[in-house]
Amino acid sequence: MIFELNTFYIKAVLWIPPPHIVNYSRAGVMLFMGAVSMREQYEYMSNPFCKRFGQQSWVAVSILVTECMLVYKFGYETISKPFPPHVVAFWVALFVIFLSWSFWNFTYKLPRRRRTASGREVSESCEELDQIRKSNRSKKGRKEQ
């Protein structure tokens, strides 16, 4: 996502018009290099036997850092402007809602619903479900013996 943000800032800070060939060539290079780079990053992170970060990944990281430094050097007044209050309020409210939902969802166990043999839905707590599962396992064990 930072690559896309850098594209916007480079166009804005260096006053490069959107239909310029530099923008198209940069997008093409990032497209093909990014595909190889993402494969190398995935391999490094998911394969325990892979001990080296790939060459294209290092190139992508260096381009990213260089573009960030370029934007910081020539567009400091653009990126250092404070956010409008309504934008800050929206993001704070969204963050609070997300934290509240996460706390509620992952801390409190909600009752689960299951269908009985007759097709009726029954609400049970997690502890009751665990007891039902244990009793069903013990019944299966007795039937197999």
Side-chain angles (χ1 to χ4, degrees):
M1 290 181 55
I2 295 178
F3 277 117
E4 287 84 16
L5 187 63
N6 278 347
T7 302
F8 169 74
Y9 274 125
I10 286 173
K11 286 191 295 187
V13 169
L14 299 180
W15 292 91
I16 299 173
H20 198 272
I21 190 70
V22 170
N23 292 325
Y24 291 127
S25 59
R26 180 189 176 280
V29 167
M30 290 298 155
L31 173 73
F32 293 114
M33 185 188 65
V36 176
S37 174
M38 287 303 294
R39 171 69 178 126
E40 290 177 351
Q41 290 175 14
Y42 176 77
E43 182 72 23
Y44 178 73
M45 292 184 177
S46 65
N47 186 355
F49 300 109
C50 184
K51 301 296 180 195
R52 292 183 49 186
F53 204 55
Q55 292 176 350
Q56 288 293 339
S57 298
W58 281 114
V59 171
V61 167
S62 65
I63 288 173
L64 180 70
V65 169
T66 304
E67 287 178 350
C68 287
M69 289 190 303
L70 185 86
V71 168
Y72 183 76
K73 179 178 181 182
F74 292 111
Y76 181 75
E77 63 279 350
T78 304
I79 61 174
S80 62
K81 288 182 182 177
F83 287 107
H86 65 280
V87 173
V88 172
F90 171 76
W91 281 108
V92 167
L94 195 66
F95 187 69
V96 166
I97 289 170
F98 175 72
L99 283 179
S100 302
W101 175 82
S102 298
F103 181 75
W104 173 74
N105 190 38
F106 297 117
T107 302
Y108 297 109
K109 293 186 177 182
L110 299 176
R112 300 180 186 177
R113 301 184 72 77
R114 71 175 180 94
R115 289 192 182 270
T116 61
S118 63
R120 193 174 61 118
E121 285 191 0
V122 178
S123 179
E124 298 172 339
S125 68
C126 294
E127 291 81 17
E128 291 172 352
L129 283 175
D130 290 339
Q131 290 173 356
I132 291 170
R133 287 185 188 125
K134 286 178 186 175
S135 66
N136 288 341
R137 286 183 195 144
S138 64
K139 288 177 186 175
K140 282 184 183 179
R142 288 184 207 145
K143 287 180 184 178
E144 291 174 0
Q145 293 174 355

